[in-house]
Amino acid sequence: MNKKIALTGIKPTGLPHIGNYFGMYKPALELAKDYDTRYFIADYHGLNSIKDPKIIKELTYEVAATWLAMGLNPEKSILYKQSAVCGTFELTILLMAFTSKGLMNRAHAYKAKVAENTEASRDPDDGVNMGLFTYPALMAADILQFDSDVIPVGQDQKQHLEMTIDIAQIINHNYGKELLKIPAALIRESTGSVIGLDGRKMSKSYNNTIPLFLPEKKLRKLLMKIVTNSQTVDEPKDPDKCNIFALYKLFADIQQQAEMRKKYLAGGMGWGNAKQELFEIMNETITPIRSKYENLIKNKDYIDEVLREGAEKAKEIVSRKLSFLREELGLQ
Ligand code: ADP
Ligand code: TRP
């Protein structure tokens, strides 16, 4: 029997962080056991904001090296760069004919930009390019081109997935058959929205991230910046209202969590100590991945080869889907 298909991607717009790790990379790679998996680097999406060729290229290598360091096996899964599969672009154009402008108007990222402009008394569309405006249509093509079943993502991508489903349903309805597979988002309750240093959702756009592969000393220094309240060392503390504990829980097993919880409630543990404990457990988890990453990032030829082979495999699948669709839509 054919396996189900899982797919996800990430933009090369900054250093991969702890939120990406728990919200997306880890759950996505766990699916490789039971699913046919396709992972990609969304460089077309990245181009909407990154216009420096050196930077986007370097970030693309960094994201690819992150996938591989975390255990992506290129023999089993497809890893490719979005821009290397030109069929995705062709499918985007097909989808555009069924994508209402009103749907795009409602996309969170676009709306946030308009709100920011309005707040600052600028033209509402100031700095909005068509790449940003039509972002959900390209994302729908990424997903629908493979007949994907499951899309592991963080909570912030929920709306994009709903839009993909909307677009696919409009097309299926118009032609009276399932031309496009309806995908499902896979968002984990416990890790779908990891908090950042300031307690808000961790995001490159909030500048509150904990990058995954910081050298040890820098990681420790950064963790010391986690925002806490002004309770003294002696006071008992509430773990469930603490940014440090929220992060600690992600790395700790049940027993470690219970022990840490006790220390909070007993009093006598200062924030500095709690941060040190977080550093230790985080560093222990990350160290083996970090050292793989450091080796991989030095080996760009290997990454190029993996991406080239991945793109070949992806192109073949996508071109079959496109031929089918062109025929069904009356373009061929
Ligand atoms: P950012 O918001 O930092 O720009 P991306 O948009 O590149 O992150 O996100 C890549 C993937 O990681 C997406 O699936 C996204 O939902 C997930 N993700 C990003 N931030 C978090 C977070 N704080 N918690 C859980 N998942 C996250
Ligand atoms: N929009 C996703 C993000 O910002 C990246 C992405 C692009 C994606 N295309 C996708 C994720 C398709 C899952 C499936 O993180």
Side-chain angles (χ1 to χ4, degrees), residues 96-206:
M96 291 275 198
F98 300 85
T99 304
S100 70
K101 177 171 175 288
L103 189 69
M104 300 296 95
N105 285 342
R106 291 194 287 280
H108 293 325
Y110 169 66
K111 270 175 66 178
K113 188 84 189 160
V114 169
E116 191 188 304
N117 284 334
T118 312
E119 178 82 5
S121 308
R122 288 190 294 261
D123 181 279
D125 280 335
D126 193 61
V128 176
N129 56 50
M130 287 304 284
L132 172 65
F133 187 62
T134 61
Y135 189 110
L138 173 57
M139 180 153 164
D142 292 328
I143 294 170
L144 300 172
Q145 64 188 353
F146 290 121
D147 293 313
S148 310
D149 293 280
V150 172
I151 315 299
V153 280
Q155 181 67 34
D156 57 7
Q157 297 301 308
K158 189 165 179 265
Q159 190 202 34
H160 284 149
L161 259 295
E162 288 164 359
M163 290 185 166
T164 298
I165 293 171
D166 264 14
I167 297 169
Q169 280 172 337
I170 289 166
I171 294 175
N172 289 348
H173 183 256
N174 187 73
Y175 296 92
K177 48 183 147 171
E178 202 192 79
L179 298 185
L180 298 165
K181 166 77 75 64
I182 305 296
L186 182 80
I187 301 171
R188 289 209 183 145
E189 179 82 33
S190 54
T191 55
S193 190
V194 172
I195 60 149
L197 294 171
D198 56 2
R200 291 187 295 168
K201 182 209 153 220
M202 186 178 295
S203 173
K204 285 166 254 174
S205 12
Y206 295 154

Side-chain angles (χ1 to χ4, degrees), residues 205-216:
S205 12
Y206 295 154
N207 224 345
N208 64 354
T209 67
I210 304 169
L212 266 171
F213 301 130
L214 282 183
E216 257 179 52

Side-chain angles (χ1 to χ4, degrees), residues 57-129:
K57 215 171 194 168
E58 190 54 33
L59 286 170
T60 299
Y61 280 120
E62 287 172 9
V63 172
T66 303
W67 278 117
L68 294 164
M70 285 188 188
L72 185 155
N73 175 355
E75 307 279 310
K76 284 187 152 181
S77 305
I78 300 179
L79 176 66
Y80 70 98
K81 212 166 60 167
Q82 187 183 38
S83 66
V85 179
C86 38
T88 313
F89 171 67
E90 192 180 338
L91 180 56
T92 306
I93 294 293
L94 296 186
L95 300 183
M96 291 275 198
F98 300 85
T99 304
S100 70
K101 177 171 175 288
L103 189 69
M104 300 296 95
N105 285 342
R106 291 194 287 280
H108 293 325
Y110 169 66
K111 270 175 66 178
K113 188 84 189 160
V114 169
E116 191 188 304
N117 284 334
T118 312
E119 178 82 5
S121 308
R122 288 190 294 261
D123 181 279
D125 280 335
D126 193 61
V128 176
N129 56 50

Side-chain angles (χ1 to χ4, degrees), residues 20 29-30 45 73 86 91 96 221 223 246 261 326:
N20 302 141
L29 288 164
E30 280 167 14
H45 280 125
N73 175 355
C86 38
L91 180 56
M96 291 275 198
K221 213 169 149 197
L223 294 184
R261 192 174 274 283
R326 291 170 137 272

